Amino acid sequence: MNLEGRKIIVNKSSKELVELLKSPENYKEFMPDGLQKFETRDNGFKFGLQGMPEIALKIDEVDDQKAVLKSASSSLDFSLTATLNPISENQTEVQMLFEGKFNPFIKMMVEKPLQNFINTLTDKIEAYK
């Protein structure tokens, strides 16, 4: 299952975004309203949203072209990638991409909430100052 967020322009350099996305505590800024739990870990974070199970993510890779978060649970196989495409010294195009391997039943249940989550992340990153 692959989902895409819309492409956005962020008024930050790709270097600034890389530094921001390396730190687990910074991801709290991008979480949707309804966040009920957020705790950082060495290389990632765990969060809970109203009406959804808690999700643990680890920061797998961050460089000047992408930031990759992967599931910290062995029972769920997915990744969330933010592609970073520098446009100018102070602007970067960002797009959220989700890739997961789910059975058809799980896919049916999670596809819409995940797309909403990606859209919210995209909106929050776009609005980030």
Side-chain angles (χ1 to χ4, degrees):
M1 176 172 79
N2 296 319
L3 301 172
E4 293 184 4
R6 64 187 171 85
K7 291 182 179 179
I8 57 169
I9 306 298
V10 178
N11 291 319
K12 293 202 177 297
S13 69
S14 61
K15 184 176 179 170
E16 286 176 281
L17 286 173
V18 164
E19 289 307 309
L20 182 74
L21 297 172
K22 280 183 182 177
S23 290
E25 58 272 1
N26 291 336
Y27 286 85
K28 186 173 185 178
E29 299 291 325
F30 308 128
M31 290 291 122
D33 298 335
L35 182 69
Q36 295 190 319
K37 179 179 187 174
F38 188 92
E39 60 186 51
T40 59
R41 300 172 169 194
D42 290 342
N43 63 345
F45 56 94
K46 183 178 189 176
F47 69 97
L49 298 172
Q50 193 170 348
M52 291 185 66
E54 289 182 3
I55 298 172
L57 296 170
K58 62 182 178 204
I59 300 171
D60 188 59
E61 177 184 355
V62 180
D63 61 37
D64 54 354
Q65 295 179 344
K66 65 185 172 298
V68 180
L69 302 175
K70 291 198 172 182
S71 170
S73 166
S74 59
S75 62
L76 293 173
D77 183 9
F78 69 86
S79 64
L80 182 62
T81 302
T83 61
L84 308 174
N85 182 18
I87 292 175
S88 68
E89 199 174 293
N90 297 319
Q91 286 190 319
T92 306
E93 180 185 75
V94 178
Q95 184 178 27
M96 302 299 297
L97 305 171
F98 177 90
E99 185 177 332
K101 295 183 179 116
F102 302 123
N103 69 45
F105 179 72
I106 298 291
K107 179 185 177 202
M108 185 180 73
M109 289 179 49
V110 301
E111 191 166 17
K112 188 172 182 185
L114 277 172
Q115 186 65 60
N116 290 340
F117 178 68
I118 290 166
N119 293 343
T120 300
L121 285 178
T122 300
D123 293 346
K124 295 260 184 161
I125 292 168
E126 187 175 37
Y128 188 76
K129 300 291 178 212

